[in-house]
Amino acid sequence: MPLSRGQGQLEARAVRSAERTTEWLDRRLPLLDAARTTLRKAFPDHWSFLLGELALYSFVVLLVTGVWLTLFFEPSMSEVVYQGSYVPLRGVRMSEAFASTLHISFDVRGGLLIRQIHHWAALVMAAAVGVHMLRVFFTGAFRRPREANWLIGLTLFLLTMLEGFAGYSLPDDLLSGTGLRTAQGFVLSVPVVGTYLSMFLFGGEFPGHDIVSRLYPVHILLLPGALLAGVVLHLILVFHLKHTQWPGPGRTNRNVVGKPMFPQFAVRSAGLLAMVFGVLAVLGAVAQINPVWNYGPYRPDHVSSGAQPDWYLGFVEGAMRLLPGFETRLWGHTVSWNPFLPAVVFPLLFFLALYLYPFMERWVTRDRGERHLCDRPRDVPVRTALGVAGITFYGLLLAGGQDIVALTFDIPLNTLTWCLRVGVLVGPLVAFWLTRRVCLALQWHDRSRLSEGDETGEVGQSVEGGYREPRSPVTAEERHALVRRDLPRPLPRPEPGSPTGVPARLRSVLSGWFHGDRVPFPGEDTADGEQRDDRAPAGAGGDGRNA
């Protein structure tokens, strides 16, 4: 329908007014330039880079469902007699927290669905953050200038675990109460100050009357706020430092080849958000999780049979179960080393090693330049082997539920426990050796592909009657990705008799151990692929190249 003269004049005035407003704002704030730069920022197109977005969108689902749940949850340990819809628990005395959880599950429309979506989203977020950190580790994406983002990512993983523990402790059911009792044992095991910390956290003797009301603001305010601040800071650094990318034609340390943020990346990211929410909604609808009504309210004199924490805290449970129980009496005080060592000291040392790893590797290799290209895990065998050894160690500790495994497979519990104890010590060493050998074998395979080509699966007969298999040459793109490795060379060994200190000799030995195992490729640049320029590192801006 054509516009009338009056409508056309109004539309023209509105357009002129919008233009004047935009010009006025742009003269005072660089809105247009910032928007143009941001919207055209390039993002690499590879599935492994979506793991961080998966964690982010799980966090978004957690925030939305968590806000809804706060409208109905009552964070109080005051006792009431349940008179709700769940008949088996009618007339049972329980805390208001547990009663409100039952009310959400059985009396609020859609309450059980939202509860289960919330719990599934917590598990998916923890898994996504963990796998994302593994991707960063195995590809060397923690190197300069991204050390700060590695520290932020590890902190987010820790906060996610604490947030999950606080969340599943709030319903005050028998399973979560058993977990809180276990956590109180960890606190009590700290020498000298353990009893004071326990009294401070629980407000008195366990279980006290304040733990739920204290965990509630931590779960809905303090930890989510810290997570949100960490995520924002992480994304700001990602935008500022550029995204890492896999080696390939046209990809260097000084550019980013990928799709622009708008519209391609934004549309794909919005689709991933919809998929995450849809999958979590389906899981919440058809896959039961944390049925607190089966456990009943918490009582200090009851313990759930086969109680297990969520998977991301299982390594603490496993370490505590596998370490033999022993104690020492010092100056009239008894120090119980289990659970103090596996539940307090071990997690601190484990995460301290993860926090320090980027700086230790940089010290060993003396690699001072900026690295924006991802390493293929096979090209750095020692780092990859260390990561697999850590995963093996962590995975064996997750077998802390050996009582359930023994019952399910009819295995003697003591035999299984001793097998796991030996496996925790031997398994990582075997995994390290095997992974390193596999990485070197894969490098030799790449070398044969470069020199001889790929197998075609066809066999031809020559005029003389012999048989041979023709090979197809590697494509130019694959050859580029294989040949252009940007890896530091081992540091030279100090000359005998040279006045070199112990740290320098140790660094030289570790450098040879870390980067000494490598298979030279035909046609590889003598400077290890792309020319390294440590004195003038690549810029950290967001300029990129769109493909």
Side-chain angles (χ1 to χ4, degrees):
M1 179 182 295
L3 297 175
S4 63
R5 172 180 288 184
Q7 291 175 327
Q9 292 176 347
L10 288 175
E11 183 178 350
R13 282 198 296 269
V15 171
R16 288 195 297 271
S17 177
E19 291 176 349
R20 287 195 298 269
T21 302
T22 303
E23 292 176 358
W24 184 86
L25 289 173
D26 189 54
R27 284 194 297 268
R28 290 156 178 82
L29 298 172
L31 295 178
L32 296 181
D33 291 340
R36 187 180 300 110
T37 302
T38 301
L39 294 179
R40 297 303 298 172
K41 180 177 177 61
F43 284 84
D45 188 15
H46 193 271
W47 66 267
S48 62
F49 299 127
L50 299 179
L51 295 170
E53 295 179 50
L54 181 60
L56 174 63
Y57 296 145
S58 300
F59 182 53
V60 172
V61 175
L62 280 171
L63 290 178
V64 174
T65 55
V67 169
W68 189 91
L69 290 173
T70 58
L71 303 177
F72 303 96
F73 182 72
E74 185 64 38
S76 173
M77 296 186 70
S78 301
E79 286 194 344
V80 297
V81 177
Y82 181 69
Q83 298 295 338
S85 300
Y86 189 63
V87 176
L89 289 178
R90 281 186 183 175
V92 176
R93 297 185 65 85
M94 60 184 63
S95 65
E96 290 190 61
F98 188 68
S100 64
T101 304
L102 294 178
H103 175 70
I104 293 173
S105 301
F106 296 105
D107 298 314
V108 176
R109 187 180 296 274
L112 181 59
L113 175 64
I114 300 299
R115 267 196 65 235
Q116 299 199 145
I117 291 176
H118 190 74
H119 202 123
W120 276 115
L123 297 182
V124 171
M125 179 181 175
V129 173
V131 177
H132 176 64
M133 295 299 296
L134 289 177
R135 197 276 303 175
V136 172
F137 178 84
F138 283 119
T139 61
F142 55 80
R143 295 173 297 174
R144 183 180 177 186
R146 296 176 180 82
E147 300 97 333
N149 248 355
W150 172 260
L151 302 181
I152 293 172
L154 272 178
T155 303
L156 290 176
F157 187 48
L158 278 172
L159 292 175
T160 301
M161 291 194 295
L162 292 175
E163 176 76 336
F165 174 76
Y168 75 64
S169 299
L170 287 179
D172 197 34
D173 60 285
L174 187 56
L175 181 62
S176 66
T178 303
L180 279 174
R181 180 57 166 165
T182 305
Q184 193 231 6
F186 300 162
V187 176
L188 287 175
S189 69
V190 180
V192 183
V193 299
T195 53
Y196 298 98
L197 290 175
S198 176
M199 296 288 287
F200 173 76
L201 292 174
F202 290 87
E205 292 291 339
F206 183 85
H209 298 282
D210 301 325
I211 184 62
V212 170
S213 59
R214 292 181 179 183
L215 279 177
Y216 186 67
V218 171
H219 179 67
I220 70 167
L221 183 62
L222 182 60
L223 291 177
L227 281 168
L228 186 60
V231 168
V232 171
L233 182 58
H234 177 75
L235 293 177
I236 289 175
L237 289 178
V238 168
F239 267 78
H240 176 66
L241 300 173
K242 300 190 305 184
H243 212 297
T244 56
Q245 58 185 344
W246 291 99
R251 300 173 184 177
T252 69
N253 267 326
R254 300 179 179 275
N255 70 351
V256 176
V257 178
K259 295 181 179 179
M261 180 177 178
F262 186 85
Q264 287 95 332
F265 178 79
V267 172
R268 186 182 63 178
S269 189
L272 180 62
L273 172 60
M275 291 175 61
V276 169
F277 182 80
V279 171
L280 291 175
V282 172
L283 284 174
V286 302
Q288 186 183 76
I289 189 170
N290 198 24
V292 295
W293 53 89
N294 287 339
Y295 312 138
Y298 177 69
R299 287 183 51 179
D301 58 334
H302 288 181
V303 176
S304 297
S305 177
Q308 299 289 324
D310 279 344
W311 70 267
Y312 45 85
L313 290 175
F315 74 103
V316 178
E317 178 84 5
M320 185 177 63
R321 292 192 182 195
L322 296 183
L323 183 71
F326 61 101
E327 60 187 27
T328 304
R329 189 161 183 82
L330 299 172
W331 302 293
H333 297 277
T334 300
V335 179
S336 180
W337 298 109
N338 189 354
F340 176 62
L341 290 180
V344 179
V345 177
F346 164 65
L348 290 177
L349 294 179
F350 182 73
F351 279 95
L352 178 62
L354 292 178
Y355 274 111
L356 294 179
Y357 182 84
F359 309 99
M360 294 298 297
E361 181 175 316
R362 187 174 65 181
W363 179 81
V364 168
T365 61
R366 201 179 287 176
D367 184 13
R368 303 294 182 182
E370 293 189 359
R371 301 291 169 252
H372 301 285
L373 294 177
C374 295
D375 290 334
R376 293 194 313 160
R378 68 182 65 179
D379 292 332
V380 193
V382 172
R383 181 203 294 155
T384 304
L386 287 173
V388 174
I391 294 174
T392 303
F393 183 65
Y394 187 89
L396 288 172
L397 289 179
L398 289 181
Q402 76 270 37
D403 52 345
I404 298 178
V405 176
L407 178 64
T408 303
F409 295 98
D410 194 19
I411 302 173
L413 179 59
N414 290 335
T415 302
L416 179 60
T417 300
W418 276 104
C419 289
L420 289 173
R421 285 172 177 171
V422 174
V424 163
L425 299 177
V426 177
L429 299 178
V430 174
F432 178 89
W433 177 84
L434 185 62
T435 303
R436 181 170 160 272
R437 300 305 304 173
V438 169
C439 289
L440 292 175
L442 290 174
Q443 288 189 40
W444 279 108
H445 174 68
D446 291 338
R447 176 186 171 90
S448 67
R449 291 183 61 205
L450 288 171
S451 58
E452 302 174 11
D454 288 325
E455 297 179 356
T456 61
E458 300 176 357
V459 178
Q461 186 177 15
S462 64
V463 177
E464 294 81 7
Y467 293 91
R468 62 183 300 272
E469 179 188 21
R471 298 209 169 213
S472 60
V474 178
T475 63
E477 182 175 356
E478 288 182 300
R479 176 176 291 274
H480 183 96
L482 293 175
V483 171
R484 295 181 67 83
R485 300 183 297 179
D486 188 14
L487 303 174
R489 288 193 177 277
L491 299 178
R493 293 290 183 94
E495 295 293 335
S498 61
T500 306
V502 174
R505 291 182 180 276
L506 177 62
R507 176 188 290 186
S508 176
V509 171
L510 291 177
S511 176
W513 170 72
F514 196 90
H515 279 299
D517 292 329
R518 60 189 305 172
V519 178
F521 288 173
E524 184 177 22
D525 197 332
T526 56
D528 299 328
E530 184 180 338
Q531 293 289 339
R532 301 166 62 84
D533 187 6
D534 294 349
R535 294 173 299 174
D543 56 328
R545 170 179 166 187
N546 300 328

